[in-house]
Amino acid sequence: MVKVTLIKSVNGQIKSVKATVAALGLTKIRQSKTFEETPANMGQIKKVSHLVKVEQV
Protein backbone atom coordinates (compact mmCIF):
# COMPACT_ATOMS: atom_id res chain seq x y z
CA MET A 1 0.00 0.00 0.00
CA VAL A 2 1.17 3.52 -0.76
CA LYS A 3 -0.14 6.80 0.63
CA VAL A 4 -0.20 9.60 -1.95
CA THR A 5 -0.48 13.25 -0.85
CA LEU A 6 -0.98 16.18 -3.22
CA ILE A 7 1.64 18.79 -2.29
CA LYS A 8 1.56 21.15 -5.29
CA SER A 9 -1.24 22.75 -7.25
CA VAL A 10 -2.28 21.45 -10.67
CA ASN A 11 -2.66 25.03 -11.97
CA GLY A 12 -0.52 25.55 -15.03
CA GLN A 13 -0.16 21.81 -15.73
CA ILE A 14 -1.14 20.19 -19.01
CA LYS A 15 -4.58 18.65 -19.36
CA SER A 16 -3.41 15.04 -19.05
CA VAL A 17 -1.64 15.73 -15.73
CA LYS A 18 -4.75 17.43 -14.34
CA ALA A 19 -6.85 14.45 -15.43
CA THR A 20 -4.45 11.99 -13.80
CA VAL A 21 -4.56 13.84 -10.47
CA ALA A 22 -8.36 13.90 -10.68
CA ALA A 23 -8.43 10.16 -11.49
CA LEU A 24 -6.39 9.53 -8.34
CA GLY A 25 -9.13 11.34 -6.43
CA LEU A 26 -6.94 14.21 -5.23
CA THR A 27 -8.71 17.56 -5.36
CA LYS A 28 -7.12 19.71 -2.64
CA ILE A 29 -3.55 20.34 -1.55
CA ARG A 30 -2.52 18.17 1.45
CA GLN A 31 -5.29 15.67 0.66
CA SER A 32 -4.17 12.04 0.93
CA LYS A 33 -5.39 8.74 -0.50
CA THR A 34 -4.14 5.19 -0.04
CA PHE A 35 -3.70 2.87 -3.04
CA GLU A 36 -2.63 -0.69 -3.74
CA GLU A 37 0.70 -0.98 -5.56
CA THR A 38 -0.71 -2.14 -8.90
CA PRO A 39 1.10 -1.34 -12.16
CA ALA A 40 -1.75 0.95 -13.23
CA ASN A 41 -1.69 2.96 -10.01
CA MET A 42 2.10 3.18 -9.94
CA GLY A 43 2.10 4.46 -13.54
CA GLN A 44 -0.33 7.23 -12.63
CA ILE A 45 1.69 8.14 -9.56
CA LYS A 46 4.91 8.23 -11.58
CA LYS A 47 3.29 10.58 -14.12
CA VAL A 48 2.43 13.14 -11.42
CA SER A 49 5.43 12.48 -9.15
CA HIS A 50 6.45 16.16 -9.32
CA LEU A 51 3.14 17.13 -7.66
CA VAL A 52 2.73 14.41 -5.02
CA LYS A 53 4.50 12.87 -2.05
CA VAL A 54 4.48 9.07 -1.87
CA GLU A 55 4.91 7.08 1.36
CA GLN A 56 4.88 3.32 2.02
CA VAL A 57 2.11 2.28 4.41
Side-chain angles (χ1 to χ4, degrees):
M1 298 284 285
V2 291
K3 180 180 176 184
V4 181
T5 306
L6 186 64
I7 57 170
K8 290 189 177 179
S9 173
V10 295
N11 287 345
Q13 299 297 320
I14 60 174
K15 210 186 311 187
S16 64
V17 170
K18 289 180 182 181
T20 303
V21 170
L24 288 171
L26 301 172
T27 57
K28 297 181 179 181
I29 294 176
R30 291 189 298 272
Q31 182 179 11
S32 297
K33 295 276 183 166
T34 305
F35 298 99
E36 295 287 336
E37 292 185 50
T38 63
N41 288 340
M42 295 312 289
Q44 287 181 321
I45 293 167
K46 184 177 178 183
K47 182 172 184 172
V48 296
S49 63
H50 59 289
L51 300 176
V52 298
K53 179 174 73 171
V54 181
E55 303 170 13
Q56 291 292 331
V57 176

